[in-house]
Short mmCIF file of all heavy atoms in Angstrom, two decimals:
data_model
loop_
_atom_site.label_atom_id
_atom_site.label_comp_id
_atom_site.label_asym_id
_atom_site.label_seq_id
_atom_site.Cartn_x
_atom_site.Cartn_y
_atom_site.Cartn_z
N THR A 80 -2.37 58.50 -102.02
CA THR A 80 -1.34 59.33 -101.40
C THR A 80 -1.94 60.59 -100.79
O THR A 80 -1.59 60.98 -99.66
CB THR A 80 -0.27 59.71 -102.43
OG1 THR A 80 0.28 58.52 -103.01
CG2 THR A 80 0.85 60.52 -101.80
N GLU A 81 -2.85 61.22 -101.49
CA GLU A 81 -3.50 62.43 -100.97
C GLU A 81 -4.29 62.13 -99.70
O GLU A 81 -4.35 62.96 -98.79
CB GLU A 81 -4.41 63.03 -102.04
CG GLU A 81 -3.65 63.67 -103.20
CD GLU A 81 -4.54 63.97 -104.39
OE1 GLU A 81 -5.78 63.70 -104.29
OE2 GLU A 81 -4.03 64.46 -105.41
N ASP A 82 -4.89 60.95 -99.62
CA ASP A 82 -5.60 60.56 -98.41
C ASP A 82 -4.63 60.51 -97.22
O ASP A 82 -4.95 60.96 -96.12
CB ASP A 82 -6.27 59.20 -98.59
CG ASP A 82 -7.47 59.24 -99.51
OD1 ASP A 82 -7.99 60.34 -99.77
OD2 ASP A 82 -7.89 58.16 -99.99
N ALA A 83 -3.45 59.94 -97.46
CA ALA A 83 -2.44 59.88 -96.39
C ALA A 83 -2.07 61.27 -95.91
O ALA A 83 -1.97 61.53 -94.70
CB ALA A 83 -1.21 59.13 -96.88
N LEU A 84 -1.85 62.19 -96.84
CA LEU A 84 -1.48 63.55 -96.47
C LEU A 84 -2.62 64.25 -95.72
O LEU A 84 -2.37 65.03 -94.78
CB LEU A 84 -1.12 64.36 -97.72
CG LEU A 84 0.10 63.85 -98.50
CD1 LEU A 84 0.36 64.77 -99.69
CD2 LEU A 84 1.33 63.75 -97.63
N ALA A 85 -3.87 63.95 -96.08
CA ALA A 85 -5.01 64.53 -95.37
C ALA A 85 -5.04 64.04 -93.93
O ALA A 85 -5.35 64.82 -93.01
CB ALA A 85 -6.31 64.17 -96.09
N VAL A 86 -4.72 62.77 -93.71
CA VAL A 86 -4.67 62.22 -92.36
C VAL A 86 -3.57 62.89 -91.55
O VAL A 86 -3.78 63.32 -90.40
CB VAL A 86 -4.45 60.69 -92.40
CG1 VAL A 86 -4.16 60.13 -91.00
CG2 VAL A 86 -5.66 59.99 -93.01
N VAL A 87 -2.39 63.01 -92.14
CA VAL A 87 -1.25 63.64 -91.47
C VAL A 87 -1.58 65.08 -91.08
O VAL A 87 -1.33 65.52 -89.95
CB VAL A 87 0.00 63.59 -92.37
CG1 VAL A 87 1.10 64.48 -91.84
CG2 VAL A 87 0.50 62.16 -92.50
N ASP A 88 -2.15 65.83 -92.01
CA ASP A 88 -2.47 67.23 -91.75
C ASP A 88 -3.56 67.37 -90.69
O ASP A 88 -3.48 68.24 -89.80
CB ASP A 88 -2.90 67.93 -93.03
CG ASP A 88 -1.76 68.09 -94.03
OD1 ASP A 88 -0.59 68.01 -93.59
OD2 ASP A 88 -2.03 68.27 -95.23
N ALA A 89 -4.59 66.52 -90.77
CA ALA A 89 -5.71 66.61 -89.82
C ALA A 89 -5.26 66.31 -88.40
O ALA A 89 -5.76 66.91 -87.44
CB ALA A 89 -6.82 65.66 -90.23
N LEU A 90 -4.31 65.39 -88.24
CA LEU A 90 -3.82 65.02 -86.91
C LEU A 90 -2.67 65.89 -86.45
O LEU A 90 -2.19 65.74 -85.32
CB LEU A 90 -3.40 63.55 -86.91
CG LEU A 90 -4.50 62.52 -87.20
CD1 LEU A 90 -3.93 61.10 -87.12
CD2 LEU A 90 -5.68 62.68 -86.25
N GLY A 91 -2.20 66.78 -87.31
CA GLY A 91 -1.11 67.67 -86.94
C GLY A 91 0.22 66.96 -86.75
O GLY A 91 1.04 67.39 -85.94
N LEU A 92 0.46 65.90 -87.54
CA LEU A 92 1.71 65.16 -87.41
C LEU A 92 2.82 65.89 -88.16
O LEU A 92 2.62 66.37 -89.28
CB LEU A 92 1.55 63.75 -87.97
CG LEU A 92 0.42 62.91 -87.35
CD1 LEU A 92 0.31 61.56 -88.04
CD2 LEU A 92 0.65 62.73 -85.86
N THR A 93 3.99 65.98 -87.57
CA THR A 93 5.08 66.75 -88.17
C THR A 93 6.30 65.91 -88.51
O THR A 93 7.01 66.22 -89.47
CB THR A 93 5.51 67.89 -87.24
OG1 THR A 93 5.89 67.35 -85.97
CG2 THR A 93 4.37 68.88 -87.05
N ARG A 94 6.60 64.88 -87.75
CA ARG A 94 7.77 64.03 -87.99
C ARG A 94 7.30 62.59 -87.94
O ARG A 94 6.89 62.09 -86.89
CB ARG A 94 8.86 64.28 -86.95
CG ARG A 94 9.33 65.72 -86.90
CD ARG A 94 10.13 66.10 -88.15
NE ARG A 94 11.51 65.66 -88.07
CZ ARG A 94 12.36 65.66 -89.10
NH1 ARG A 94 11.94 66.03 -90.30
NH2 ARG A 94 13.59 65.28 -88.94
N ILE A 95 7.36 61.89 -89.07
CA ILE A 95 6.64 60.63 -89.21
C ILE A 95 7.53 59.55 -89.80
O ILE A 95 8.27 59.79 -90.76
CB ILE A 95 5.42 60.82 -90.15
CG1 ILE A 95 4.61 62.04 -89.75
CG2 ILE A 95 4.54 59.58 -90.16
CD1 ILE A 95 3.96 62.71 -90.91
N HIS A 96 7.43 58.37 -89.25
CA HIS A 96 8.00 57.17 -89.85
C HIS A 96 6.89 56.51 -90.69
O HIS A 96 5.81 56.24 -90.18
CB HIS A 96 8.49 56.20 -88.78
CG HIS A 96 9.58 56.77 -87.92
ND1 HIS A 96 10.91 56.71 -88.28
CD2 HIS A 96 9.53 57.43 -86.73
CE1 HIS A 96 11.65 57.30 -87.34
NE2 HIS A 96 10.84 57.74 -86.40
N VAL A 97 7.17 56.26 -91.95
CA VAL A 97 6.16 55.73 -92.87
C VAL A 97 6.41 54.24 -93.07
O VAL A 97 7.54 53.82 -93.31
CB VAL A 97 6.22 56.45 -94.23
CG1 VAL A 97 5.14 55.90 -95.17
CG2 VAL A 97 6.05 57.95 -94.05
N ALA A 98 5.35 53.44 -92.96
CA ALA A 98 5.46 52.00 -93.18
C ALA A 98 4.25 51.51 -93.96
O ALA A 98 3.17 52.13 -93.92
CB ALA A 98 5.55 51.25 -91.84
N GLY A 99 4.41 50.40 -94.67
CA GLY A 99 3.30 49.83 -95.40
C GLY A 99 3.42 48.34 -95.52
O GLY A 99 4.53 47.79 -95.57
N TRP A 100 2.26 47.67 -95.52
CA TRP A 100 2.19 46.22 -95.66
C TRP A 100 1.51 45.86 -96.98
O TRP A 100 0.51 46.46 -97.35
CB TRP A 100 1.42 45.60 -94.49
CG TRP A 100 1.17 44.12 -94.65
CD1 TRP A 100 2.11 43.14 -94.66
CD2 TRP A 100 -0.09 43.47 -94.84
NE1 TRP A 100 1.51 41.89 -94.83
CE2 TRP A 100 0.16 42.07 -94.94
CE3 TRP A 100 -1.42 43.93 -94.92
CZ2 TRP A 100 -0.86 41.13 -95.13
CZ3 TRP A 100 -2.43 42.99 -95.10
CH2 TRP A 100 -2.14 41.61 -95.20
N CYS A 101 2.07 44.90 -97.71
CA CYS A 101 1.50 44.38 -98.95
C CYS A 101 1.30 45.54 -99.94
O CYS A 101 2.25 46.26 -100.25
CB CYS A 101 0.20 43.64 -98.64
SG CYS A 101 -0.45 42.68 -100.03
N THR A 102 0.09 45.76 -100.45
CA THR A 102 -0.12 46.87 -101.37
C THR A 102 0.10 48.21 -100.70
O THR A 102 0.41 49.21 -101.36
CB THR A 102 -1.54 46.83 -101.95
OG1 THR A 102 -2.49 46.67 -100.88
CG2 THR A 102 -1.71 45.67 -102.93
N GLY A 103 -0.03 48.25 -99.39
CA GLY A 103 0.23 49.48 -98.66
C GLY A 103 1.67 49.95 -98.77
O GLY A 103 1.95 51.14 -98.66
N ALA A 104 2.59 49.01 -98.98
CA ALA A 104 4.00 49.39 -99.14
C ALA A 104 4.21 50.20 -100.40
O ALA A 104 5.03 51.13 -100.43
CB ALA A 104 4.88 48.14 -99.14
N SER A 105 3.50 49.86 -101.47
CA SER A 105 3.60 50.64 -102.71
C SER A 105 3.13 52.07 -102.48
O SER A 105 3.77 53.04 -102.91
CB SER A 105 2.78 49.98 -103.82
OG SER A 105 3.26 48.69 -104.11
N ILE A 106 1.99 52.21 -101.81
CA ILE A 106 1.48 53.54 -101.51
C ILE A 106 2.43 54.28 -100.59
O ILE A 106 2.69 55.48 -100.77
CB ILE A 106 0.08 53.42 -100.88
CG1 ILE A 106 -0.90 52.75 -101.86
CG2 ILE A 106 -0.45 54.79 -100.46
CD1 ILE A 106 -2.20 52.32 -101.23
N ALA A 107 2.99 53.58 -99.61
CA ALA A 107 3.90 54.20 -98.65
C ALA A 107 5.13 54.78 -99.33
O ALA A 107 5.69 55.79 -98.87
CB ALA A 107 4.30 53.19 -97.58
N LEU A 108 5.59 54.17 -100.41
CA LEU A 108 6.71 54.73 -101.16
C LEU A 108 6.41 56.15 -101.62
O LEU A 108 7.27 57.04 -101.54
CB LEU A 108 7.01 53.85 -102.38
CG LEU A 108 7.82 52.58 -102.17
CD1 LEU A 108 7.79 51.72 -103.43
CD2 LEU A 108 9.27 52.91 -101.80
N PHE A 109 5.20 56.36 -102.08
CA PHE A 109 4.82 57.68 -102.58
C PHE A 109 4.49 58.64 -101.44
O PHE A 109 4.74 59.84 -101.54
CB PHE A 109 3.63 57.55 -103.55
CG PHE A 109 4.04 56.97 -104.87
CD1 PHE A 109 4.19 55.60 -105.03
CD2 PHE A 109 4.33 57.80 -105.94
CE1 PHE A 109 4.60 55.07 -106.24
CE2 PHE A 109 4.74 57.27 -107.16
CZ PHE A 109 4.88 55.90 -107.31
N VAL A 110 3.95 58.10 -100.35
CA VAL A 110 3.66 58.93 -99.19
C VAL A 110 4.95 59.48 -98.60
O VAL A 110 5.06 60.67 -98.28
CB VAL A 110 2.87 58.13 -98.13
CG1 VAL A 110 2.71 58.95 -96.86
CG2 VAL A 110 1.51 57.73 -98.68
N ALA A 111 5.96 58.62 -98.46
CA ALA A 111 7.24 59.06 -97.90
C ALA A 111 7.85 60.17 -98.75
O ALA A 111 8.43 61.13 -98.22
CB ALA A 111 8.20 57.88 -97.81
N HIS A 112 7.71 60.05 -100.07
CA HIS A 112 8.25 61.08 -100.96
C HIS A 112 7.44 62.37 -100.84
O HIS A 112 8.02 63.47 -100.77
CB HIS A 112 8.22 60.58 -102.40
CG HIS A 112 8.77 61.56 -103.39
ND1 HIS A 112 10.11 61.86 -103.50
CD2 HIS A 112 8.14 62.33 -104.32
CE1 HIS A 112 10.30 62.75 -104.45
NE2 HIS A 112 9.12 63.06 -104.96
N ALA A 113 6.11 62.25 -100.78
CA ALA A 113 5.25 63.44 -100.73
C ALA A 113 5.39 64.19 -99.42
O ALA A 113 5.21 65.41 -99.38
CB ALA A 113 3.79 63.02 -100.94
N LEU A 114 5.73 63.49 -98.34
CA LEU A 114 5.88 64.15 -97.03
C LEU A 114 7.14 65.00 -96.95
O LEU A 114 7.27 65.82 -96.05
CB LEU A 114 5.90 63.09 -95.92
CG LEU A 114 4.56 62.48 -95.55
CD1 LEU A 114 4.75 61.30 -94.62
CD2 LEU A 114 3.65 63.52 -94.90
N GLU A 115 8.08 64.77 -97.86
CA GLU A 115 9.34 65.52 -97.90
C GLU A 115 10.03 65.46 -96.53
O GLU A 115 10.24 64.38 -96.00
CB GLU A 115 9.07 66.96 -98.37
CG GLU A 115 8.49 67.01 -99.77
CD GLU A 115 8.19 68.41 -100.25
OE1 GLU A 115 7.96 69.29 -99.40
OE2 GLU A 115 8.19 68.63 -101.48
N GLU A 116 10.35 66.61 -95.95
CA GLU A 116 11.16 66.62 -94.72
C GLU A 116 10.41 66.08 -93.51
O GLU A 116 11.01 65.80 -92.47
CB GLU A 116 11.67 68.03 -94.42
CG GLU A 116 10.62 69.02 -93.97
CD GLU A 116 9.86 69.64 -95.13
OE1 GLU A 116 10.17 69.31 -96.30
OE2 GLU A 116 8.95 70.46 -94.87
N ARG A 117 9.10 65.90 -93.61
CA ARG A 117 8.34 65.35 -92.49
C ARG A 117 8.55 63.85 -92.34
O ARG A 117 8.28 63.28 -91.28
CB ARG A 117 6.85 65.65 -92.65
CG ARG A 117 6.50 67.11 -92.43
CD ARG A 117 5.01 67.34 -92.53
NE ARG A 117 4.52 67.23 -93.91
CZ ARG A 117 3.25 67.35 -94.26
NH1 ARG A 117 2.32 67.59 -93.33
NH2 ARG A 117 2.89 67.27 -95.53
N ALA A 118 9.01 63.18 -93.39
CA ALA A 118 9.25 61.73 -93.34
C ALA A 118 10.62 61.45 -92.75
O ALA A 118 11.63 61.98 -93.20
CB ALA A 118 9.13 61.12 -94.72
N LEU A 119 10.66 60.58 -91.73
CA LEU A 119 11.91 60.22 -91.07
C LEU A 119 12.48 58.90 -91.57
O LEU A 119 13.69 58.68 -91.54
CB LEU A 119 11.69 60.13 -89.56
CG LEU A 119 11.33 61.44 -88.85
CD1 LEU A 119 10.97 61.16 -87.40
CD2 LEU A 119 12.48 62.43 -88.95
N SER A 120 11.60 57.99 -91.99
CA SER A 120 12.06 56.68 -92.45
C SER A 120 10.96 56.01 -93.25
O SER A 120 9.81 56.48 -93.27
CB SER A 120 12.47 55.78 -91.27
OG SER A 120 11.32 55.36 -90.55
N PHE A 121 11.33 54.90 -93.90
CA PHE A 121 10.38 54.11 -94.69
C PHE A 121 10.60 52.63 -94.37
O PHE A 121 11.74 52.16 -94.34
CB PHE A 121 10.59 54.35 -96.19
CG PHE A 121 9.87 53.34 -97.06
CD1 PHE A 121 8.53 53.50 -97.36
CD2 PHE A 121 10.54 52.21 -97.55
CE1 PHE A 121 7.86 52.55 -98.15
CE2 PHE A 121 9.88 51.28 -98.33
CZ PHE A 121 8.54 51.45 -98.63
N THR A 122 9.50 51.91 -94.14
CA THR A 122 9.57 50.46 -93.93
C THR A 122 8.55 49.76 -94.82
O THR A 122 7.37 50.13 -94.83
CB THR A 122 9.29 50.08 -92.46
OG1 THR A 122 10.26 50.70 -91.61
CG2 THR A 122 9.37 48.57 -92.27
N SER A 123 9.01 48.76 -95.55
CA SER A 123 8.13 47.89 -96.34
C SER A 123 8.04 46.54 -95.63
O SER A 123 9.06 45.90 -95.36
CB SER A 123 8.69 47.71 -97.75
OG SER A 123 8.02 46.65 -98.42
N ILE A 124 6.82 46.12 -95.33
CA ILE A 124 6.59 44.82 -94.70
C ILE A 124 5.87 43.93 -95.71
O ILE A 124 4.73 44.21 -96.09
CB ILE A 124 5.74 44.96 -93.42
CG1 ILE A 124 6.41 45.93 -92.44
CG2 ILE A 124 5.52 43.61 -92.77
CD1 ILE A 124 5.55 46.30 -91.26
N ASP A 125 6.54 42.89 -96.18
CA ASP A 125 5.95 41.98 -97.17
C ASP A 125 5.34 42.78 -98.31
O ASP A 125 4.19 42.54 -98.72
CB ASP A 125 4.89 41.07 -96.52
CG ASP A 125 5.42 40.38 -95.27
OD1 ASP A 125 6.55 39.91 -95.30
OD2 ASP A 125 4.67 40.31 -94.27
N GLY A 126 6.10 43.72 -98.82
CA GLY A 126 5.57 44.66 -99.81
C GLY A 126 5.29 44.04 -101.16
O GLY A 126 6.08 43.26 -101.68
#
Side-chain angles (χ1 to χ4, degrees):
T80 303
E81 289 167 2
D82 288 343
L84 297 181
V86 170
V87 168
D88 291 340
L90 298 182
L92 303 177
T93 57
R94 302 290 278 168
I95 312 148
H96 298 274
V97 181
W100 173 66
C101 191
T102 49
S105 298
I106 298 167
L108 280 169
F109 286 82
V110 173
H112 181 72
L114 284 170
E115 298 179 334
E116 70 278 359
R117 289 183 288 178
L119 295 173
S120 71
F121 167 83
T122 300
S123 167
I124 303 170
D125 309 318

